[in-house]
Amino acid sequence: MTDKIFDIGIVGYGPVGATLSGLLSSLGLNVVVIEKTKGVSPTARAINTDSEQLRTFNFLNIASEIISNSRTVSKVHFTDSEFNPYSTIDIPKEDILGWPPTLLFYQPELETIIRDNNENYKNLLILENTELENIEDTNPIKLNIRNNGKDSSIYCKYLVGCDGANSFVRKHINAKLIDFDFDQDWIVIDAHTIEQIDISKDEVKQICDPNRLKTYVPGRRNHERFEFKLLKGETKKIFTKKKVWELLSPWINKNNSKIERAVVYKFHACIADKWRDKNIFIAGDAAHQMPPFLGAGMGTGIRDAFNLAWKIYLVINSKADEKLLETYQQERAPHANWTIQQAKIIGEMMEQFSYREKGEKYVPSNTGYGEVFPHLTRGYYGDPSDGLIATPFCRFDLDQSKKDSDEYFGWNFGLISKKKLPKEIDSMLKKMNIKVLTVNSDIINLKNYFQDASYLLIRPDKYLFSRSKTNVELKEALNELEKQFFLIT
Ligand SMILES: Cc1cc2nc3c(=O)[nH]c(=O)nc-3n(C[C@H](O)[C@H](O)[C@H](O)COP(=O)(O)OP(=O)(O)OC[C@H]3O[C@@H](n4cnc5c(N)ncnc54)[C@H](O)[C@@H]3O)c2cc1C
């Protein structure tokens, strides 16, 4: 098809492949995407995104467009069958990253926004109607593909399988799925109201009805999402149109709404034991799957993409040793694993709450959703028990320009300093390509970070690497940064 050797080949143009291809292309790498279908996913699956994903989307300049096409919510309730809350989680309008922590979108629209932006990159080739049929572990990697019915080959230095739950690439690298023993059948219904109805559109409800667990999520504009757990012995056959309208009757009816689709899904929880073999990686649903109770499946894949993009960029541009790529699974797998367990817990909490209405006294041991995402388990320096190191760093406005801190640092490692830097450190920073920002500690968002510290080092993906007080401590942190990220200076 083409003899050109691409820097990266990506299999799958779902939300994760589309985001990763945009990120890598924005970094100037030559990227090819292979997708067996054509056009965006015609239906919604994912509906919820979060501030860390919006930070990633802002690297593609599309976060504001996504927000203006989505819905923010103020509360998530766990309720009884009559919708009376057992427990409520308040959702702030924005968090320290400067974006809404929960945002409800419509997947075909989200994918269109990502893909439209990808059209801007001349170094990105998208091959739709093209199926990956075989991978040859040569150098460069050879991909045998079937494009519009014709067989051909393309070549790339690195390959990322974003090819979903049944990933061909995962099987090729001999990765096994670790199953967390969670299999539940739920019917997922997407509907669109055609007239104004009396329904609270800024609250998500996890309805812990002992007769059937249910979820209501108010989608953007007139989109509504409902999920109902199948009871023992029920199969998809019993969900006739009549039955589906019956389930929806507390909210909507035939006169005020149209059903887009009603599909029975098997919710799974599993993770791959291996995310990389030499220059071949997997990301997104190819590497992990979880029940949607936390709305974090796609988000976990977008985090994979953000983590991998800058690492591949540094290695391809000889700014880091290829050992850096080993850190992709080391950093992402524990986080994905934690997220899967949280999603399972939400499902279990719903079951546990439902016992109450049966007259059983049961208080769930977990509050759900309120948990802080875990620290990185590597790739930081210092003591993460301060709740700051190894977590996503805040975003703040800069006085000097209209930029915010994320825009200022871009994809660089960054140092935020309260002090003038001595020459020796200044030259270390230049050698390591670290972008410096000198600030005064009055910036409210930075107050906590600068307690007992004068210097903050941040990673390209905006996790806080270290907090140092003295020049000696900063030098130690810089040496550690060079070592941990295998930087070539
Ligand atoms: C009911 C439901 C609700 C959900 N809600 C949420 C939510 O609110 N928030 C959230 O974050 N997540 C949610 N998820 C999970 C989310 O939908 C998935 O995690 C996400 O879509 C995975 O994206 P992906 O790009 O990794 O894979 P996919 O979207 O599965 O994309 C994989 C792509 O690879 C292509 N492909 C596969 N094999 C080949 C091949 N051999 N050659 C070429 N192309 C190939 C496929 O055609 C497909 O386009 C939900 C899931 C479900 C089922």
Side-chain angles (χ1 to χ4, degrees):
M1 164 163 265
T2 161
D3 290 340
K4 178 174 168 176
I5 299 171
F6 291 90
D7 291 320
I8 326 280
I10 293 175
V11 190
Y13 206 36
V16 175
T19 304
L20 180 62
S21 60
L23 293 173
L24 291 165
S25 305
S26 74
L27 281 160
L29 300 173
N30 286 309
V31 182
V32 61
V33 176
I34 299 149
E35 167 56 55
K36 66 181 173 190
T37 63
K38 185 159 174 59
V40 298
S41 158
T43 51
R45 276 184 297 153
I47 185 168
N48 170 53
T49 185
D50 64 25
S51 54
E52 215 184 327
Q53 291 166 72
L54 286 163
R55 165 174 263 171
T56 304
F57 292 136
N58 198 37
F59 269 63
L60 298 172
N61 292 317
I62 55 173
S64 303
E65 194 182 349
I66 290 171
I67 291 174
S68 59
N69 281 288
S70 303
R71 175 179 300 286
T72 51
V73 285
S74 64
K75 290 178 192 314
V76 179
H77 300 290
F78 289 83
T79 79
D80 65 13
S81 59
E82 303 282 313
F83 307 155
N84 303 305
Y86 284 128
S87 155
T88 295
I89 295 136
D90 292 312
I91 315 275
K93 279 201 161 50
E94 65 179 49
D95 63 16
I96 57 157
L97 306 198
W99 301 108
T102 287
L103 189 77
L104 303 171
F105 60 86
Y106 184 62
Q107 187 170 346
E109 229 163 55
L110 176 89
E111 286 192 31
T112 303
I113 295 171
I114 304 171
R115 286 179 179 216
D116 283 355
N117 181 63
N118 282 354
E119 299 281 318
N120 294 322
Y121 304 116
K122 303 285 169 273
N123 46 332
L124 172 57
L125 176 66
I126 311 292
L127 299 173
E128 291 186 284
N129 283 333
T130 305
E131 183 159 6
L132 173 72
E133 293 196 314
N134 193 24
I135 303 169
E136 292 184 31
D137 294 312
T138 44
N139 186 10
I141 302 161
K142 183 176 177 190
L143 305 178
N144 298 321
I145 57 176
R146 192 160 179 80
N147 171 257
N148 285 313
K150 279 196 190 137
D151 290 330
S152 61
S153 306
I154 50 171
Y155 297 87
C156 55
K157 295 179 198 162
Y158 292 88
L159 177 70
V160 189
C162 301
D163 48 347
N166 294 318
S167 172
F168 181 96
V169 181
R170 184 182 66 231
K171 288 167 200 150
H172 178 79
I173 65 170
N174 257 322
K176 302 276 169 298
L177 283 178
I178 301 165
D179 196 319
F180 292 114
D181 199 20
F182 185 97
D183 292 289
Q184 288 187 1
D185 291 328
W186 285 64
I187 180 163
V188 176
I189 305 170
D190 285 301
H192 300 269
T193 54
I194 47 178
E195 61 180 57
Q196 200 74 24
I197 57 163
D198 183 19
I199 195 165
S200 165
K201 288 283 283 186
D202 80 335
E203 299 182 357
V204 172
K205 291 192 178 82
Q206 300 285 21
I207 301 139
C208 313
D209 180 344
N211 295 316
R212 185 189 296 281
L213 300 181
K214 305 163 189 171
T215 297
Y216 164 66
V217 185
R220 68 89 182 93
R221 300 200 284 278
N222 61 340
H223 175 218
E224 310 286 355
R225 160 67 57 86
F226 304 92
E227 295 168 5
F228 301 88
K229 187 178 177 195
L230 268 60
L231 305 178
K232 233 183 177 168
E234 278 181 342
T235 62
K236 59 182 163 194
K237 274 196 205 137
I238 72 145
F239 293 96
T240 57
K241 270 194 182 158
K242 187 166 170 265
K243 176 78 179 170
V244 167
W245 280 117
E246 220 173 273
L247 289 170
L248 297 176
S249 60
W251 295 275
I252 56 173
N253 59 51
K254 263 186 201 169
N255 300 324
N256 59 29
S257 305
K258 280 201 160 21
I259 291 174
E260 177 186 310
R261 60 165 197 154
V263 179
V264 173
Y265 279 96
K266 194 168 270 306
F267 294 167
H268 276 303
C270 57
I271 192 165
D273 62 351
K274 181 177 169 189
W275 294 32
R276 175 197 180 199
D277 186 20
K278 298 186 195 80
N279 287 358
I280 305 180
F281 301 82
I282 50 171
D285 273 19
H288 41 72
Q289 291 142 50
M290 65 190 76
F293 308 128
L294 199 60
M298 179 191 87
T300 304
I302 303 289
R303 284 175 169 84
D304 299 341
F306 202 33
N307 187 288
L308 190 56
W310 60 274
K311 292 179 177 173
I312 289 189
Y313 167 79
L314 288 181
V315 172
I316 285 192
N317 284 286
S318 304
K319 292 178 178 177
D321 187 271
E322 68 101 36
K323 284 192 198 121
L324 177 60
L325 301 175
E326 235 4 80
T327 70
Y328 165 61
Q329 178 175 355
Q330 289 166 1
E331 291 183 358
R332 287 299 312 137
H335 191 283
N337 198 345
W338 181 88
T339 311
I340 294 167
Q341 303 315 324
Q342 287 299 307
K344 275 183 66 184
I345 284 172
I346 301 292
E348 281 155 18
M349 277 175 67
M350 289 177 74
E351 299 274 358
Q352 291 161 354
F353 270 129
S354 78
Y355 299 154
R356 283 204 192 172
E357 216 168 319
K358 286 188 206 157
E360 292 170 39
K361 272 197 182 165
Y362 193 96
V363 183
S365 50
N366 200 291
T367 54
Y369 298 114
E371 299 281 329
V372 180
F373 267 35
H375 297 162
L376 289 166
T377 48
R378 75 157 302 284
Y380 65 85
Y381 179 62
D383 182 1
S385 68
D386 65 2
L388 302 172
I389 291 173
T391 68
F393 186 61
C394 70
R395 181 167 69 111
F396 57 92
D397 288 328
L398 306 187
D399 308 333
Q400 310 93 308
S401 69
K402 288 196 174 125
K403 285 183 176 172
D404 63 37
S405 53
D406 280 11
E407 287 161 335
Y408 177 82
F409 288 112
W411 285 101
N412 296 286
F413 285 99
L415 174 74
I416 305 177
S417 166
K418 247 183 11 179
K419 288 190 187 165
K420 193 169 164 3
L421 294 158
K423 266 197 180 142
E424 187 197 359
I425 290 185
D426 208 31
S427 57
M428 266 177 102
L429 294 166
K430 284 202 177 90
K431 216 171 80 179
M432 292 170 73
N433 256 323
I434 295 176
K435 199 162 177 183
V436 180
L437 178 70
T438 310
V439 295
N440 64 53
S441 51
D442 294 342
I443 296 176
I444 292 173
N445 293 19
L446 297 183
K447 222 172 155 196
N448 275 349
Y449 294 96
F450 275 133
Q451 254 177 28
D452 281 333
S454 309
Y455 304 111
L456 311 171
L457 270 173
I458 53 173
R459 303 164 29 131
D461 52 12
K462 309 286 160 286
Y463 275 76
L464 181 63
F465 179 75
S466 65
R467 299 166 65 220
S468 318
K469 195 169 184 178
T470 64
N471 293 340
V472 174
E473 281 177 16
L474 175 59
K475 265 202 283 184
E476 278 170 11
L478 286 167
N479 286 331
E480 193 61 28
L481 184 101
E482 190 170 1
K483 210 165 84 192
Q484 289 205 25
F485 295 104
F486 307 95
L487 300 181
I488 299 170
T489 55

